[in-house]
Structures are given as C-alpha cells and as structure tokens.
Amino acid sequence: MKSPIRIVLAGSCALGLLSAPTAAWAEQHRTAAAPKPTATAKPSAKPTAKPAAKPKPVDCTKVKCIALTFDDGPGKYADKLLATLKKHNAKATFFLEGQYVKSRPAFAKQMVDEGHDIGNHSYTHPRFTEISIDGIREELKKTQDIVKKVTGKYPTTIRPPYGLLDDDTKTVAAEMKMPIVLWNGGSRDWATRSEKAIYDEVLKNAKRDGVILMHDWVAQTVTVMPKLLTALQKQGYHVVAVSSLPGAKTLKPADVFPAGAAEDKDLSADSPTGDPDDFAESPADGS
C-alpha cells in the first residue's frame, strides 16, 4: 500500500502536468489572436480641382452672329436679364445712363464682371441735337466717370440718345476717342409691351452681324428673353457683344457702326422719340 504522502505528491504532480500546457496554450492563443500593429497610412493628398476652361471667343467671320443691345440701363430687371444671358452662354452690350448707374451700381458692376460690353448713353438722356456741344461733352463725361467708379472700367463706345446724331456729337466722340454705335434692327419693345410682338419683331429683323435695339427696363423684354435666345440659337446665331462683330475691333474715334446705320431713315422708328405719349411707363418711372 502506497504511502498517503506519495499519493498526495503524485496527485499534485498530475495536476501540475495538466495545468502547465493549458496556461501555455492560453498564452500562445492570446499572442496569436492579438492583431499585429500596422503602419499608419499617410493621408492621400486631395486632387487639385482644375480651373474651368474659359470659353473660346466666338469668331464671327466664321459663324453667324447677332448682337443684342440694351439702352437706358441698368434697368430694374437687369439682374434677371443677366441671369438669362448667363444660362444661355450669350453676351450683350449695355448702353448705360449715368443716372441709373448711380442708382443701380451693383447691376452695372455685374455686367462688366460677366463679360458684357458697356457703352455710354449719356447721363440724363437729352437730345444731343438740341443741346450745346459743351452739354454733350458734360453728359458723356459724367457717365464715363460714374461707370469707371462703379465698375472699374470706362465705356468704350457711345450711343447718342434716340440715335440722334450730328456733327457736334461726332466732334465730342473724336475728342474722347470713342466710336459711335447705332443699330440696324429694332424690337419696338418700348412701344408694344407685348412678349409676342417683341419676339416676332426681333426674329423679323434678325440677320447675320445685326445689331438689335432693346431695353432692359421693359419687363416683357426680360420675360421673353429665354424663348428669344433659344429661337435665335436654333437658327444658328451666336449671341455676342458688339465688340465681337466683324469690323467692330477696327473702329476709329467717331466712326459710326454698323455701316450705313447713320443714313437709315427708319432708324428713329425703332427708338422712343422722347414725347410723353411714347411711353406707357418711362425708364424713370420704372426705377
């Protein structure tokens, strides 16, 4: 019979043998299960966005162009008109009155910032044929100054109010080194105040390299503009500023553009004459 002491020692040894591999396995399992540290990934540099490519200038010697021009502004609807022009990728020419540049400077600045042409249409819209040469000079100079102050740029062309042109106006234009821009097609928007009539009149007068007279203070003109631009573009026209038309870049001081416009006897029919009955609502009333 074995001694009790030996039995106890044998049991202890047996328990030790059983417990030793269990602890070793557990340690090994913990080591195997622990995730290996990984190198911290460096944040990737964000791709630099490429600046939007500027649209190529339209070459009107190769494609069909037309210039829409707007007198007496900035009118109170000019912001809506500018949004429409931008949406249709069209450029225009705005002949500004100094008094409205003063009262709506943000619109004038937006015209320049968005790449439209700006011209000088006097300060208070008098008939140049009925005031002195000093009066003409003062009207144009005041407008040059206020436009430069507001937009950072001077107007580069002159459109006399009502399209009335005489030798005194040409003399002042020569002094100021600016050409004179009239038109060869109208919209009669000031007279009809009808979207359909404006639309039909412009399409009737549309022609390659044409210069169309409109007004951005006529609400119906601004409202019909999306439809009108779509129709012109479907007919293959690129709607551009006057400066993009063939011959415009080579104009000299006091030159009249478009060719033959000064001799057009029907020219005045496209513009308000200034008589009270011509306006259902004058530009001043719409300010």
Side-chain angles (χ1 to χ4, degrees), residues 174-187:
E175 291 173 2
M176 298 178 72
K177 297 181 170 54
M178 297 169 74
I180 297 166
V181 175
L182 299 177
W183 59 89
N184 52 20
S187 63

Side-chain angles (χ1 to χ4, degrees), residues 131-145:
I131 63 175
S132 69
I133 190 170
D134 287 337
I136 296 171
R137 193 178 287 116
E138 179 67 12
E139 283 279 332
L140 294 174
K141 184 179 183 305
K142 282 180 68 177
T143 299
Q144 290 292 100
D145 291 345

Side-chain angles (χ1 to χ4, degrees), residues 36-44:
K36 293 182 179 180
T38 55
T40 304
K42 294 182 180 180
S44 58

Side-chain angles (χ1 to χ4, degrees), residues 28 33 48 64 83 110 129 141 152 155-157 164 181 199 212 215 221 231 276 283-284:
Q28 184 180 6
T48 304
K64 189 165 70 169
Q110 186 179 351
T129 53
K141 184 179 183 305
T156 55
T157 57
L164 297 174
V181 175
Y199 178 87
I212 304 295
H215 299 84
T221 292

Side-chain angles (χ1 to χ4, degrees), residues 126-133 136 162 164 166 168-169 273:
R127 294 168 179 261
F128 280 4
T129 53
E130 296 179 1
I131 63 175
S132 69
I133 190 170
I136 296 171
Y162 313 112
L164 297 174
D166 60 10
D168 283 351
T169 304
T273 64

Side-chain angles (χ1 to χ4, degrees), residues 104-174:
R104 302 186 185 103
F107 291 172
K109 188 174 188 309
Q110 186 179 351
M111 291 167 182
V112 170
D113 290 347
E114 295 184 359
H116 302 286
D117 280 4
I118 50 170
N120 190 323
H121 196 49
S122 81
Y123 199 89
T124 60
H125 210 265
R127 294 168 179 261
F128 280 4
T129 53
E130 296 179 1
I131 63 175
S132 69
I133 190 170
D134 287 337
I136 296 171
R137 193 178 287 116
E138 179 67 12
E139 283 279 332
L140 294 174
K141 184 179 183 305
K142 282 180 68 177
T143 299
Q144 290 292 100
D145 291 345
I146 188 67
V147 172
K148 176 63 163 65
K149 180 180 178 181
V150 165
T151 71
K153 291 188 177 182
Y154 286 112
T156 55
T157 57
I158 294 168
R159 175 172 283 174
Y162 313 112
L164 297 174
L165 187 60
D166 60 10
D167 289 341
D168 283 351
T169 304
K170 290 182 179 181
T171 296
V172 176

Side-chain angles (χ1 to χ4, degrees), residues 62-263:
K62 296 179 180 179
V63 297
K64 189 165 70 169
C65 292
I66 192 168
L68 302 184
T69 67
F70 299 88
D71 282 10
D72 306 333
K76 70 176 182 178
Y77 310 113
D79 56 339
K80 296 177 183 177
L81 175 60
L82 288 167
T84 298
L85 292 169
K86 187 174 185 178
K87 183 177 180 179
H88 286 78
N89 195 28
K91 298 299 181 186
T93 303
F94 294 90
F95 289 97
L96 305 176
E97 285 185 42
Q99 61 180 334
Y100 299 123
V101 174
K102 183 178 180 180
S103 63
R104 302 186 185 103
F107 291 172
K109 188 174 188 309
Q110 186 179 351
M111 291 167 182
V112 170
D113 290 347
E114 295 184 359
H116 302 286
D117 280 4
I118 50 170
N120 190 323
H121 196 49
S122 81
Y123 199 89
T124 60
H125 210 265
R127 294 168 179 261
F128 280 4
T129 53
E130 296 179 1
I131 63 175
S132 69
I133 190 170
D134 287 337
I136 296 171
R137 193 178 287 116
E138 179 67 12
E139 283 279 332
L140 294 174
K141 184 179 183 305
K142 282 180 68 177
T143 299
Q144 290 292 100
D145 291 345
I146 188 67
V147 172
K148 176 63 163 65
K149 180 180 178 181
V150 165
T151 71
K153 291 188 177 182
Y154 286 112
T156 55
T157 57
I158 294 168
R159 175 172 283 174
Y162 313 112
L164 297 174
L165 187 60
D166 60 10
D167 289 341
D168 283 351
T169 304
K170 290 182 179 181
T171 296
V172 176
E175 291 173 2
M176 298 178 72
K177 297 181 170 54
M178 297 169 74
I180 297 166
V181 175
L182 299 177
W183 59 89
N184 52 20
S187 63
R188 292 188 61 77
D189 53 356
W190 57 273
T192 65
R193 306 300 179 95
S194 161
E195 291 179 32
K196 183 180 186 306
I198 294 165
Y199 178 87
D200 291 343
E201 188 75 8
V202 171
L203 293 184
K204 181 185 77 173
N205 289 315
K207 60 183 176 181
R208 183 166 185 168
D209 303 329
V211 180
I212 304 295
L213 171 64
M214 309 187 82
H215 299 84
D216 63 359
W217 50 267
V218 177
Q220 292 83 358
T221 292
V222 176
T223 303
V224 81
M225 193 56 57
K227 179 182 176 183
L228 182 56
L229 289 172
T230 298
L232 288 169
Q233 290 169 339
K234 281 184 177 180
Q235 291 184 15
Y237 285 103
H238 293 258
V239 181
V240 301
V242 167
S243 61
S244 293
L245 295 178
K249 295 186 185 301
T250 58
L251 290 173
K252 297 177 182 178
D255 280 354
V256 179
F257 185 83
E263 292 76 38

